[in-house]
Amino acid sequence: MSILFKFTQFVQKTFALWVILFSGLALYSPENFVWLKTYITWMLGIIMFGMGMTMTLGDFKSVLQSPKAVTIGVFAQFIVMPALAYLLCKLFNLPTEIAIGVILVGCCPGGTASNVITYMAKGNTALSVACTSVSTILAPILTPAIFYVLASQWIDINAISMLKSILQVVLFPIVLGLLLGFWAARIFKLPYTDCKAISIEVGMQNSGLGVALAAVHFALSPITAVPSAIFSLWHNISGSALATYWAAKADKTEKSIFRCKKA
Protein backbone atom coordinates (compact mmCIF):
# COMPACT_ATOMS: atom_id res chain seq x y z
CA MET A 1 0.00 0.00 0.00
CA SER A 2 2.89 2.36 0.82
CA ILE A 3 4.40 1.70 -2.61
CA LEU A 4 1.11 2.66 -4.31
CA PHE A 5 0.86 5.78 -2.17
CA LYS A 6 4.41 6.83 -3.03
CA PHE A 7 3.73 6.19 -6.72
CA THR A 8 0.58 8.34 -6.72
CA GLN A 9 2.43 11.08 -4.85
CA PHE A 10 5.18 10.98 -7.47
CA VAL A 11 2.69 11.18 -10.35
CA GLN A 12 0.85 14.08 -8.69
CA LYS A 13 4.03 16.08 -8.05
CA THR A 14 5.29 15.57 -11.61
CA PHE A 15 1.90 15.75 -13.34
CA ALA A 16 2.74 18.94 -15.25
CA LEU A 17 5.79 17.26 -16.79
CA TRP A 18 3.73 14.24 -17.87
CA VAL A 19 1.17 16.55 -19.51
CA ILE A 20 3.91 18.34 -21.45
CA LEU A 21 5.57 15.04 -22.43
CA PHE A 22 2.43 13.37 -23.76
CA SER A 23 1.22 16.59 -25.40
CA GLY A 24 4.48 16.69 -27.32
CA LEU A 25 4.15 13.04 -28.32
CA ALA A 26 0.55 13.62 -29.45
CA LEU A 27 1.60 16.59 -31.58
CA TYR A 28 4.43 14.56 -33.12
CA SER A 29 2.40 11.42 -33.71
CA PRO A 30 -1.37 12.16 -33.33
CA GLU A 31 -2.46 8.90 -34.97
CA ASN A 32 -1.20 6.96 -31.94
CA PHE A 33 -3.51 8.86 -29.59
CA VAL A 34 -6.73 9.26 -31.59
CA TRP A 35 -8.14 5.99 -30.21
CA LEU A 36 -8.12 7.46 -26.68
CA LYS A 37 -11.00 9.84 -27.44
CA THR A 38 -13.42 6.90 -27.13
CA TYR A 39 -12.42 6.46 -23.49
CA ILE A 40 -12.13 10.10 -22.35
CA THR A 41 -15.58 10.11 -20.76
CA TRP A 42 -14.86 6.86 -18.92
CA MET A 43 -11.47 8.05 -17.68
CA LEU A 44 -12.92 11.32 -16.42
CA GLY A 45 -15.67 9.38 -14.68
CA ILE A 46 -13.12 7.16 -12.90
CA ILE A 47 -11.11 10.20 -11.81
CA MET A 48 -14.22 11.99 -10.53
CA PHE A 49 -15.28 8.82 -8.70
CA GLY A 50 -11.89 8.65 -6.97
CA MET A 51 -12.18 12.28 -5.92
CA GLY A 52 -15.69 11.68 -4.66
CA MET A 53 -14.45 8.92 -2.37
CA THR A 54 -12.24 11.44 -0.55
CA MET A 55 -15.09 13.91 0.02
CA THR A 56 -17.88 13.92 2.58
CA LEU A 57 -21.38 15.40 2.74
CA GLY A 58 -19.98 17.90 5.22
CA ASP A 59 -17.81 19.39 2.46
CA PHE A 60 -20.85 20.21 0.34
CA LYS A 61 -22.89 21.23 3.38
CA SER A 62 -20.39 23.95 4.23
CA VAL A 63 -20.55 25.25 0.64
CA LEU A 64 -24.36 25.33 0.64
CA GLN A 65 -24.43 27.09 4.01
CA SER A 66 -22.15 29.80 2.66
CA PRO A 67 -23.16 30.49 -0.98
CA LYS A 68 -20.96 33.60 -1.12
CA ALA A 69 -17.99 31.69 -2.56
CA VAL A 70 -20.12 29.95 -5.23
CA THR A 71 -21.69 33.27 -6.25
CA ILE A 72 -18.29 34.94 -6.56
CA GLY A 73 -16.90 31.99 -8.52
CA VAL A 74 -19.78 31.91 -11.01
CA PHE A 75 -19.81 35.70 -11.52
CA ALA A 76 -16.04 35.69 -12.06
CA GLN A 77 -16.44 32.82 -14.53
CA PHE A 78 -18.77 34.79 -16.78
CA ILE A 79 -17.17 38.22 -16.32
CA VAL A 80 -13.38 37.84 -16.00
CA MET A 81 -12.64 35.44 -18.87
CA PRO A 82 -15.05 36.89 -21.48
CA ALA A 83 -13.81 40.41 -20.70
CA LEU A 84 -10.18 39.31 -20.90
CA ALA A 85 -10.81 37.51 -24.21
CA TYR A 86 -12.46 40.63 -25.67
CA LEU A 87 -9.63 42.90 -24.51
CA LEU A 88 -7.01 40.58 -26.03
CA CYS A 89 -8.86 40.57 -29.37
CA LYS A 90 -9.01 44.38 -29.43
CA LEU A 91 -5.48 44.88 -28.11
CA PHE A 92 -3.82 42.59 -30.64
CA ASN A 93 -6.32 43.38 -33.43
CA LEU A 94 -6.82 39.66 -34.07
CA PRO A 95 -8.25 38.41 -37.39
CA THR A 96 -12.01 37.85 -37.35
CA GLU A 97 -11.91 34.03 -37.28
CA ILE A 98 -9.36 33.91 -34.46
CA ALA A 99 -11.18 36.62 -32.48
CA ILE A 100 -14.43 34.68 -32.69
CA GLY A 101 -12.71 31.54 -31.40
CA VAL A 102 -11.01 33.36 -28.53
CA ILE A 103 -14.21 35.04 -27.35
CA LEU A 104 -16.16 31.80 -27.77
CA VAL A 105 -13.91 29.79 -25.44
CA GLY A 106 -13.82 32.73 -23.02
CA CYS A 107 -17.61 32.63 -22.74
CA CYS A 108 -17.79 28.90 -21.99
CA PRO A 109 -18.43 27.61 -18.44
CA GLY A 110 -15.90 25.69 -16.37
CA GLY A 111 -15.14 22.05 -17.19
CA THR A 112 -14.59 18.91 -15.12
CA ALA A 113 -10.82 19.26 -15.54
CA SER A 114 -10.96 22.22 -13.15
CA ASN A 115 -12.34 19.93 -10.44
CA VAL A 116 -9.44 17.51 -10.89
CA ILE A 117 -6.82 20.28 -10.84
CA THR A 118 -8.43 21.84 -7.74
CA TYR A 119 -8.24 18.46 -5.99
CA MET A 120 -4.56 18.14 -6.92
CA ALA A 121 -3.90 21.67 -5.66
CA LYS A 122 -5.53 20.78 -2.32
CA GLY A 123 -8.11 23.48 -2.84
CA ASN A 124 -11.80 23.37 -1.94
CA THR A 125 -12.91 20.62 -4.32
CA ALA A 126 -16.54 20.78 -3.18
CA LEU A 127 -16.61 24.48 -4.06
CA SER A 128 -15.08 23.77 -7.47
CA VAL A 129 -17.70 21.12 -8.22
CA ALA A 130 -20.48 23.46 -7.08
CA CYS A 131 -19.18 26.32 -9.28
CA THR A 132 -18.88 24.01 -12.29
CA SER A 133 -22.42 22.75 -11.78
CA VAL A 134 -23.98 26.19 -11.42
CA SER A 135 -22.02 27.75 -14.32
CA THR A 136 -22.91 24.80 -16.56
CA ILE A 137 -26.61 25.17 -15.74
CA LEU A 138 -26.45 28.90 -16.53
CA ALA A 139 -24.38 28.39 -19.70
CA PRO A 140 -27.33 27.90 -22.12
CA ILE A 141 -28.42 31.46 -21.38
CA LEU A 142 -25.23 33.31 -20.44
CA THR A 143 -22.80 31.85 -22.99
CA PRO A 144 -24.76 32.85 -26.13
CA ALA A 145 -25.85 36.14 -24.53
CA ILE A 146 -22.32 37.23 -23.58
CA PHE A 147 -20.91 35.92 -26.87
CA TYR A 148 -23.53 37.91 -28.77
CA VAL A 149 -22.68 41.13 -26.93
CA LEU A 150 -18.91 40.76 -27.36
CA ALA A 151 -18.59 39.16 -30.81
CA SER A 152 -21.49 40.69 -32.73
CA GLN A 153 -19.21 43.46 -34.03
CA TRP A 154 -17.26 40.86 -35.99
CA ILE A 155 -20.13 38.71 -37.33
CA ASP A 156 -23.88 38.19 -37.31
CA ILE A 157 -24.73 35.69 -34.57
CA ASN A 158 -27.76 33.46 -34.20
CA ALA A 159 -27.98 33.39 -30.40
CA ILE A 160 -31.08 31.16 -30.38
CA SER A 161 -29.35 28.52 -32.49
CA MET A 162 -26.32 28.58 -30.19
CA LEU A 163 -28.58 28.24 -27.15
CA LYS A 164 -30.09 25.07 -28.63
CA SER A 165 -26.61 23.64 -29.26
CA ILE A 166 -25.56 24.24 -25.65
CA LEU A 167 -28.74 22.61 -24.41
CA GLN A 168 -27.87 19.54 -26.47
CA VAL A 169 -24.15 19.46 -25.65
CA VAL A 170 -24.31 20.42 -21.96
CA LEU A 171 -27.69 20.00 -20.28
CA PHE A 172 -28.73 16.78 -21.99
CA PRO A 173 -25.68 14.83 -20.72
CA ILE A 174 -26.27 16.27 -17.24
CA VAL A 175 -29.83 15.10 -17.20
CA LEU A 176 -28.45 11.75 -18.27
CA GLY A 177 -25.91 11.28 -15.78
CA LEU A 178 -6.11 31.79 -13.77
CA LEU A 179 -5.21 33.94 -11.51
CA LEU A 180 -7.78 36.72 -11.82
CA GLY A 181 -10.33 34.40 -10.24
CA PHE A 182 -7.94 33.90 -7.30
CA TRP A 183 -7.62 37.59 -6.59
CA ALA A 184 -11.33 38.15 -7.04
CA ALA A 185 -11.83 35.61 -4.25
CA ARG A 186 -9.11 37.22 -2.12
CA ILE A 187 -10.76 40.62 -2.43
CA PHE A 188 -13.88 39.14 -0.87
CA LYS A 189 -11.72 37.59 1.89
CA LEU A 190 -12.52 33.97 1.14
CA PRO A 191 -10.44 31.16 2.71
CA TYR A 192 -7.23 30.28 0.87
CA THR A 193 -8.56 26.87 -0.26
CA ASP A 194 -11.62 28.63 -1.72
CA CYS A 195 -9.37 31.10 -3.53
CA LYS A 196 -7.46 28.27 -5.15
CA ALA A 197 -10.70 26.58 -6.24
CA ILE A 198 -12.14 29.76 -7.79
CA SER A 199 -8.84 30.65 -9.47
CA ILE A 200 -8.70 27.28 -11.22
CA GLU A 201 -12.43 27.29 -11.94
CA VAL A 202 -12.27 30.67 -13.68
CA GLY A 203 -9.04 29.89 -15.52
CA MET A 204 -10.06 26.50 -16.93
CA GLN A 205 -12.93 26.81 -19.38
CA ASN A 206 -14.89 23.97 -20.98
CA SER A 207 -12.77 24.09 -24.14
CA GLY A 208 -14.45 20.94 -25.46
CA LEU A 209 -17.71 22.87 -25.60
CA GLY A 210 -15.91 25.69 -27.39
CA VAL A 211 -14.66 23.27 -30.06
CA ALA A 212 -18.13 21.74 -30.44
CA LEU A 213 -19.83 25.13 -30.83
CA ALA A 214 -17.21 26.29 -33.33
CA ALA A 215 -17.67 23.12 -35.37
CA VAL A 216 -21.46 23.55 -35.48
CA HIS A 217 -21.85 27.31 -35.96
CA PHE A 218 -18.66 28.18 -37.84
CA ALA A 219 -18.12 25.04 -39.92
CA LEU A 220 -17.06 27.12 -42.92
CA SER A 221 -14.26 28.62 -40.83
CA PRO A 222 -12.54 25.68 -39.07
CA ILE A 223 -9.86 27.99 -37.69
CA THR A 224 -12.38 29.32 -35.14
CA ALA A 225 -11.96 26.04 -33.24
CA VAL A 226 -8.19 26.49 -32.97
CA PRO A 227 -8.23 28.85 -29.92
CA SER A 228 -10.32 26.33 -27.96
CA ALA A 229 -7.96 23.49 -28.91
CA ILE A 230 -4.87 25.51 -27.97
CA PHE A 231 -6.50 26.70 -24.75
CA SER A 232 -7.29 23.10 -23.83
CA LEU A 233 -3.61 22.19 -24.08
CA TRP A 234 -2.41 25.30 -22.28
CA HIS A 235 -4.82 25.25 -19.34
CA ASN A 236 -3.99 21.61 -18.62
CA ILE A 237 -0.27 22.40 -18.57
CA SER A 238 -0.51 25.66 -16.62
CA GLY A 239 -3.24 24.31 -14.34
CA SER A 240 -1.32 21.18 -13.39
CA ALA A 241 1.88 23.24 -12.84
CA LEU A 242 0.00 25.61 -10.54
CA ALA A 243 -1.62 22.66 -8.74
CA THR A 244 1.81 21.11 -8.16
CA TYR A 245 3.08 24.37 -6.65
CA TRP A 246 0.06 24.85 -4.40
CA ALA A 247 0.08 21.20 -3.28
CA ALA A 248 3.78 21.44 -2.35
CA LYS A 249 3.08 24.66 -0.47
CA ALA A 250 0.17 23.02 1.38
CA ASP A 251 2.33 20.02 2.31
CA LYS A 252 5.02 22.33 3.66
CA THR A 253 2.46 24.22 5.75
CA GLU A 254 0.95 21.01 7.12
CA LYS A 255 4.39 19.71 8.12
CA SER A 256 5.20 22.99 9.88
CA ILE A 257 1.93 22.86 11.82
CA PHE A 258 2.55 19.23 12.76
CA ARG A 259 6.05 20.03 14.04
CA CYS A 260 4.74 22.96 16.10
CA LYS A 261 2.06 20.78 17.68
CA LYS A 262 4.55 18.02 18.35
CA ALA A 263 6.93 20.48 20.01
Side-chain angles (χ1 to χ4, degrees):
M1 195 68 176
S2 60
I3 296 177
L4 178 61
F5 178 75
K6 289 180 180 179
F7 175 74
T8 56
Q9 288 288 93
F10 170 75
V11 172
Q12 181 173 329
K13 290 179 180 178
T14 58
F15 188 73
L17 297 177
W18 292 111
V19 171
I20 295 173
L21 173 62
F22 282 100
S23 296
L25 291 174
L27 286 172
Y28 178 75
S29 181
E31 65 276 3
N32 292 323
F33 293 87
V34 172
W35 62 274
L36 284 171
K37 66 180 182 180
T38 306
Y39 304 98
I40 290 177
T41 304
W42 286 97
M43 288 188 285
L44 274 176
I46 292 171
I47 293 171
M48 297 297 286
F49 176 73
M51 285 178 8
M53 291 181 67
T54 67
M55 301 168 67
T56 65
L57 290 176
D59 296 327
F60 291 96
K61 186 178 179 181
S62 62
V63 171
L64 293 175
Q65 289 177 339
S66 180
K68 175 183 175 181
V70 178
T71 303
I72 292 171
V74 173
F75 267 90
Q77 178 78 59
F78 288 109
I79 293 176
V80 173
M81 291 300 283
L84 184 60
Y86 178 79
L87 288 175
L88 288 174
C89 292
K90 298 294 287 186
L91 181 64
F92 294 103
N93 194 25
L94 297 179
T96 298
E97 293 178 331
I98 297 295
I100 293 169
V102 171
I103 293 176
L104 182 60
V105 72
C107 294
C108 287
T112 52
S114 63
N115 307 147
V116 177
I117 297 298
T118 299
Y119 174 78
M120 290 175 57
K122 296 189 175 181
N124 190 336
T125 308
L127 173 60
S128 178
V129 173
C131 287
T132 298
S133 301
V134 175
S135 65
T136 301
I137 290 172
L138 294 176
I141 296 174
L142 294 184
T143 294
I146 297 172
F147 183 69
Y148 177 81
V149 171
L150 297 181
S152 57
Q153 63 175 288
W154 280 282
I155 54 166
D156 291 328
I157 300 168
N158 190 330
I160 299 300
S161 177
M162 185 172 290
L163 185 149
K164 291 179 181 178
S165 294
I166 299 175
L167 286 173
Q168 293 170 352
V169 175
V170 179
L171 288 190
F172 185 64
I174 289 176
V175 172
L176 293 178
L178 267 281
L179 290 178
L180 289 177
F182 178 84
W183 287 111
R186 293 291 281 180
I187 290 172
F188 288 96
K189 299 180 179 180
L190 296 180
Y192 192 64
T193 54
D194 290 6
C195 292
K196 289 192 284 187
I198 291 177
S199 172
I200 294 169
E201 188 67 26
V202 172
M204 298 188 71
Q205 310 299 93
N206 190 338
S207 51
L209 175 61
V211 171
L213 291 175
V216 172
H217 296 279
F218 308 104
L220 297 179
S221 303
I223 198 171
T224 57
V226 172
S228 292
I230 294 175
F231 187 78
S232 178
L233 173 63
W234 168 245
H235 77 202
N236 279 290
I237 293 175
S238 59
S240 57
L242 186 61
T244 301
Y245 166 74
W246 269 333
K249 187 176 179 180
D251 287 338
K252 187 176 181 180
T253 302
E254 289 173 2
K255 288 179 180 178
S256 298
I257 294 174
F258 177 75
R259 287 171 184 168
C260 290
K261 288 182 177 179
K262 192 175 181 180

